[in-house]
Amino acid sequence: MSRLLVAQRALMVPGWAKDALWRRAQAIPSLDLRFADNKSLVDAVTGASLITFARASSGTFVDSAGVLQTAATDVPRFDHNPTTGESLGLMVEEQRTNLRLNSATYQPSSGGAPAAYTVDQVAPDGTTTGSRQTAATPRTFEDYTGIANALYTFSFYCRVTSGTAAFSLQLKNAASDTVITSDTSLVATTTWRRFTISGTTTGATPGARVELVGVVPGFVFWGAQLEAGAFPTSYIPTTTAAVTRSADVASITGTAFSGWYSQSEGTMFADFLRTYSGNFPNFPNLYQFNDGTNNNEITMLGLQASQNIQGFVTTGAIQQFASTAYTSAVPGPNRSAHSFIVNNSAFAWNGAIGALDTSVSIPTVNQVKFGERDGQRFTGHIRRLTYWPQALPSRLQSLTQ
């Protein structure tokens, strides 16, 4: 084949053919943030770093080798599955505080007195701080006094030095020793695994007791965390005082925003993983185009007291479009695509699409925020966010399959 013919054929191939998602859209986007694939904030279309990212503290994440690492203040975290090494994308979390002191050398008491442990095991962060139990203690526990009547989550890393071992985990009211919630079917193996339990403390003297039953010599513990909330977040190391990990904040504003966004029409695709099961504790938002208020916005929102996700358009404080409510999978993947133009808005979710709204006014916006709306935050992983400066209602189902 001549070079001329090769060049001619190359010219006949549309630019959108180079990427699978672009091929489904049959259009080239103006913004493509491939957090999971590229482990970067850089836009794959322009090659520019458009996102303003902040976190007022350090934060932990798992690298591709399965080792727990620490990202410095204001450094984004690109997390991985600790077992498979799969890249999960950009981790975004709400603010949390670890109330458990000396979290690394986690050594539960036994009957109110310290159990027998030796700190000599390689921990998930690569340090030799894992606590190996050396004596039989069929019932080990630790109490947290002054914990208010509220929902708390306790988590810790555990493995055994050989074989497998079953044990139970209970969360109790400390004063009365009554069980709030329990899991009696846990199994530790030689591979580190993070175990977790959540419940609401009650009673006249609020306090929490975490109890392990069936723990024998050879159990190894590390990384204990007690935090207010319905689900565990990334590990927050402590020593002699409680430590707070700040929220992850990401947005695109100013000319970095106006350079790719179309005020008249567009299509937004999102691919993300949910950290937690059960009901959303607030109104988490994966993305929100707005003008600095909620009066003019295009957003994908999780609904409080349900697991439903919806796409919305609001102009001048009047809701213009509300999609069908969809249930999101845990962890996912979950994929959405929202197309919007005057008198035409549609929203698709994991291959399903709702009714087209033909009476829609599109707001004028000047920024996009990721994972936050009114201070209420999404907690999970954003794998990919892609925007086309044109409405693509007929392509939405294909984009989300």
Side-chain angles (χ1 to χ4, degrees):
M1 185 181 298
S2 69
R3 292 183 178 180
L4 178 61
L5 184 57
V6 170
Q8 289 175 333
R9 288 191 174 184
L11 290 174
M12 294 173 63
V13 177
W16 47 257
K18 65 177 66 175
D19 177 80
L21 184 67
W22 296 11
R23 288 196 295 272
R24 290 182 180 183
Q26 296 183 22
I28 300 174
S30 54
L31 178 76
D32 195 359
L33 301 170
R34 304 179 188 180
F35 298 133
D37 288 345
N38 297 344
K39 304 178 189 179
S40 167
L41 299 181
V42 173
D43 170 34
V45 177
T46 64
S49 185
L50 305 174
I51 294 177
T52 298
F53 181 88
R55 187 186 57 255
S57 72
S58 61
T60 62
F61 68 99
V62 177
D63 69 14
S64 58
V67 179
L68 195 71
Q69 303 286 357
T70 298
T73 298
D74 294 334
V75 175
R77 296 174 290 168
F78 297 96
D79 202 24
H80 299 78
N81 183 301
T83 303
T84 66
E86 176 192 3
S87 176
L88 302 178
L90 177 67
M91 184 193 299
V92 287
E93 296 186 296
E94 61 189 60
Q95 179 173 294
R96 286 290 184 89
T97 298
N98 186 1
L99 301 171
R100 209 285 183 178
L101 309 186
N102 300 308
S103 60
T105 52
Y106 172 50
Q107 299 174 359
S109 59
S110 178
Y117 293 91
T118 299
V119 180
D120 63 357
Q121 300 292 301
V122 176
D125 66 349
T127 62
T128 311
T129 53
S131 298
R132 175 174 52 89
Q133 186 167 324
T134 57
T137 52
R139 177 176 180 264
T140 65
F141 65 86
E142 59 181 79
D143 289 341
Y144 298 89
T145 59
I147 301 301
N149 294 324
L151 183 59
Y152 287 85
T153 294
F154 181 80
S155 59
F156 64 100
Y157 291 85
C158 178
R159 70 176 187 85
V160 288
T161 52
S162 63
T164 61
F167 69 103
S168 299
L169 176 62
Q170 297 180 336
L171 184 64
K172 295 182 173 183
N173 287 310
S176 62
D177 200 39
T178 56
V179 177
I180 299 170
T181 185
S182 64
D183 193 332
T184 61
S185 58
L186 301 177
V187 177
T189 69
T190 55
T191 301
W192 282 112
R193 176 186 165 191
R194 197 181 191 195
F195 295 90
T196 181
I197 195 166
S198 301
T200 301
T201 61
T202 59
T205 308
R209 170 171 290 179
V210 179
E211 183 170 305
L212 290 83
V213 180
V215 178
V216 297
F219 269 79
V220 184
F221 299 104
W222 185 84
Q225 185 153 308
L226 179 68
E227 52 193 311
F231 53 89
T233 61
S234 62
Y235 172 59
I236 306 168
T238 67
T239 52
T240 58
V243 174
T244 297
R245 183 206 57 249
S246 298
D248 298 281
V249 181
S251 64
I252 304 178
T253 62
T255 56
F257 176 79
S258 60
W260 55 267
Y261 184 78
S262 168
Q263 295 289 350
S264 60
E265 61 178 304
T267 298
M268 185 67 176
F269 167 83
D271 183 353
F272 71 95
L273 304 171
R274 273 184 68 179
T275 291
Y276 48 90
S277 60
N279 293 339
F280 289 112
N282 50 36
F283 291 90
N285 145 268
L286 196 69
Y287 61 82
Q288 182 194 31
F289 298 96
N290 69 16
D291 63 351
T293 74
N294 295 335
N295 294 331
N296 295 287
E297 65 173 347
I298 300 169
T299 185
M300 189 189 77
L301 200 64
L303 303 183
Q304 194 171 28
S306 78
Q307 297 183 46
N308 291 337
I309 294 284
Q310 282 185 265
F312 293 93
V313 175
T314 301
T315 303
I318 299 174
Q319 187 178 96
Q320 303 290 316
F321 170 77
S323 76
T324 300
Y326 297 101
T327 299
S328 59
V330 180
N334 296 286
R335 300 184 179 95
S336 70
H338 187 181
S339 172
F340 40 90
I341 192 172
V342 173
N343 294 333
N344 188 312
S345 186
F347 186 87
W349 179 264
N350 290 342
I353 189 168
L356 181 70
D357 191 327
T358 59
S359 179
V360 179
S361 173
I362 304 301
T364 297
V365 299
N366 57 22
Q367 65 177 345
V368 61
K369 296 192 294 183
F370 303 124
E372 187 268 334
R373 179 182 185 271
D374 266 356
Q376 300 180 93
R377 300 186 181 279
F378 169 80
T379 293
H381 298 87
I382 306 176
R383 289 155 44 110
R384 187 171 184 175
L385 294 169
T386 308
Y387 174 85
W388 291 265
Q390 61 256 54
L392 302 170
S394 63
R395 306 277 189 257
L396 299 188
Q397 278 184 287
S398 176
L399 289 174
T400 62
Q401 289 172 338

